[in-house]
Amino acid sequence: IWPGAKEIGARSAPVGRYDDPENQEQGTYRIVYPDSGHLAVCGMSGTGKSTFLRTLVFALIRRYTPEELQFYALDYSGGLLLSLRDAPHCGGVAADGETEETGRLFLLLDRIMEERKEDRKRKNGREGTQPVLLVVLDDFSGFQEKTGGKYEEQVLRLSREGQANHMYLLVSGNGFGTGGIPRGIGEYIRTTVCLEVNERFKYAEIMRAAGTFAVPERGIKGRGIVSVGGRILEFQAAAAGGWDRFSSSRELERQCRKMDEVWTGKRPRLVPHIPDRLTFQEFKNTEPYRKMAADRRYLPLGYDQEDASICAVDLRRTFCWVIQGRDGTGKKNVMRILMNGASCIKEARLYLIDFQDKGLAGEAKKLGAGYLGDEMAAYGFFQDSVDMVRARSRKKRELEGEGMDQE
């Protein structure tokens, strides 16, 4: 419900109802940011943890615009969070088995964290205007198993430093400690929802609660306990779209696509992605390519496999660049990409030296480049270039004498 007045600074959403027999009443249980902080939902398999996370995120994105709240998700459970990926608030969902996507998501989160820290420094610690950013991690034990524990340190850093930068972790697991959410991360969890577990003492352990309290009725999906005003009360989670997996996912996908169609404002930064099949024209039309190509210093070449950023030849630091590889590995294609990039540099002159006619002469002609097809043509070119090189060397020495460096 994007229009209308909302709480200034706060981001809240109802996620279910609690029962308060002492006061003979029932109330709506809400998650409120920043007050709720990092959140964990714990319970046995099949008790509704994924549904709770999805319901919370969906309730928030219906209420707040992508300029107010954004999210990224790591779905290592049953794939329920994938039904939210078309929402304009979503920067990306890394699903079970997408290890490269997971790595790029964490690289992006690290960058966002550093940018927000720098923003706070510039404003002398004052609150910024960045949107609340949620990082949803469904099934921590599955995440650890599938990634070999590779990203635990990044999750710990998020739990430790995120809240000060309006970045919040929402994580599910069977509990805290061995086989669940590590206790180092659990120390920074402010809000815990405990759904059904198999032993009574585990409720107290997960909720870190002393004394006696009623445990929830067993066998009801979404039934558990929460802390309300320091008291442990029975709770029933809501389910966005209902509890049927198929129909609810289809309905939420429909609503997320509708949001995507009507939203025209700012969106979250997307997790970098390398397309499986990419033409040069598509590559050239991407915003990162255009931004880099606008600087005469770089020749964009392709994507870095690790973080999907644009990699390029740095002409300020690279005077000779070698392309190596077996036959059929794409050396000529790389040359074409570099030639196309060079042809777009203002006031640049492009020449192709090709004594064996490797099939690039047509490309050179199309780009308006000079073509040197034999030794005599190349010799004449280098002879004519001597005076230009000498003039540039003199100019370089003059500028260095004035205290300028190569940058």
Side-chain angles (χ1 to χ4, degrees), residues 186-204:
E187 289 178 8
Y188 298 96
I189 299 293
R190 183 180 293 183
T191 300
T192 302
V193 174
C194 182
L195 303 182
E196 185 180 340
V197 292
N198 55 12
E199 297 288 348
R200 184 184 180 91
F201 75 89
K202 287 188 176 180
Y203 288 103

Side-chain angles (χ1 to χ4, degrees), residues 69-357:
L69 182 138
Q70 301 170 358
F71 75 94
Y72 297 88
L74 296 133
D75 193 326
Y76 279 76
S77 184
L80 278 183
L81 298 178
L82 292 171
S83 58
L84 304 179
R85 62 184 167 186
D86 290 332
H89 310 68
C90 181
V93 179
D96 182 2
E98 297 178 341
T99 53
E100 290 184 356
E101 190 84 358
T102 296
R104 291 170 190 150
L105 192 156
F106 277 109
L107 285 170
L108 177 58
L109 291 175
D110 285 344
R111 290 191 191 120
I112 293 173
M113 177 86 77
E114 291 306 314
E115 289 169 5
R116 293 192 171 197
K117 284 183 175 181
E118 288 300 316
D119 186 57
R120 288 177 62 218
K121 285 181 182 178
R122 286 193 298 270
K123 296 175 180 176
N124 296 319
R126 296 195 304 273
E127 292 292 324
T129 57
Q130 305 103 332
V132 166
L133 193 153
L134 307 178
V135 180
V136 190
L137 201 174
D138 193 10
D139 188 8
F140 195 90
S141 61
F143 166 74
Q144 285 286 77
E145 180 184 346
K146 297 296 174 56
T147 62
K150 184 178 179 180
Y151 303 107
E152 183 175 336
E153 186 58 36
Q154 281 95 326
V155 180
L156 178 59
R157 183 194 180 204
L158 175 64
S159 66
R160 187 174 57 237
E161 304 175 23
Q163 187 163 331
N165 297 288
H166 303 292
M167 300 172 69
Y168 300 94
L169 176 67
L170 283 64
V171 59
S172 70
N174 58 18
F176 297 100
T178 304
I181 302 166
R183 296 192 185 280
I185 294 171
E187 289 178 8
Y188 298 96
I189 299 293
R190 183 180 293 183
T191 300
T192 302
V193 174
C194 182
L195 303 182
E196 185 180 340
V197 292
N198 55 12
E199 297 288 348
R200 184 184 180 91
F201 75 89
K202 287 188 176 180
Y203 288 103
E205 182 182 90
I206 290 170
M207 298 300 294
R208 301 166 190 157
T212 59
F213 52 84
V215 297
E217 187 176 349
R218 302 181 69 85
I220 302 176
K221 210 164 191 176
R223 187 66 58 89
I225 55 175
V226 293
S227 177
V228 178
R231 295 180 301 142
I232 305 300
L233 300 177
E234 190 169 0
F235 162 80
Q236 175 60 50
W243 286 99
D244 180 77
R245 180 187 181 89
F246 177 74
S247 61
S248 63
S249 294
R250 189 167 57 181
E251 174 59 19
L252 297 193
E253 287 171 1
R254 184 190 67 79
Q255 294 198 41
C256 287
R257 285 194 295 269
K258 186 64 177 177
M259 292 184 208
D260 186 59
E261 291 170 5
V262 300
W263 177 249
T264 59
K266 292 182 179 179
R267 295 170 180 249
R269 201 179 314 177
L270 298 179
V271 176
H273 173 68
I274 300 178
D276 293 331
R277 295 182 179 275
L278 182 70
T279 66
F280 175 72
Q281 193 59 44
E282 291 171 337
F283 179 52
K284 189 177 179 180
N285 288 337
T286 62
E287 183 178 350
Y289 181 98
R290 291 195 299 268
K291 184 177 180 180
M292 186 170 282
D295 189 337
R296 299 177 74 244
R297 174 174 177 170
Y298 297 106
L299 283 181
L301 175 63
Y303 289 102
D304 186 299
Q305 185 70 23
E306 182 179 4
D307 63 4
S309 61
I310 296 287
C311 59
V313 179
D314 185 347
L315 297 177
R316 187 174 293 172
R317 300 182 181 278
T318 308
F319 305 102
C320 185
W321 206 69
V322 179
I323 304 169
Q324 293 182 317
R326 299 193 306 271
D327 288 346
T329 54
K331 299 187 295 295
K332 190 185 301 181
N333 183 59
V334 172
M335 188 70 78
R336 283 198 180 96
I337 293 171
L338 295 176
M339 289 172 63
N340 273 270
S343 71
C344 297
I345 298 176
K346 292 181 180 179
E347 301 178 359
R349 285 176 284 177
L350 174 64
Y351 291 89
L352 171 68
I353 302 175
D354 184 5
F355 294 168
Q356 299 180 6
D357 189 12

Side-chain angles (χ1 to χ4, degrees), residues 368-390:
Y371 178 66
L372 311 175
D374 55 47
E375 293 182 8
M376 287 302 296
Y379 178 79
F381 166 76
F382 287 116
Q383 280 288 97
D384 295 341
S385 301
V386 170
D387 291 340
M388 178 188 67
V389 173
R390 286 174 176 167

Side-chain angles (χ1 to χ4, degrees), residues 339 352 354 357-367 369 371:
M339 289 172 63
L352 171 68
D354 184 5
D357 189 12
K358 293 290 187 178
L360 293 172
E363 194 77 22
K365 183 177 180 180
K366 183 180 73 173
L367 298 174
Y371 178 66

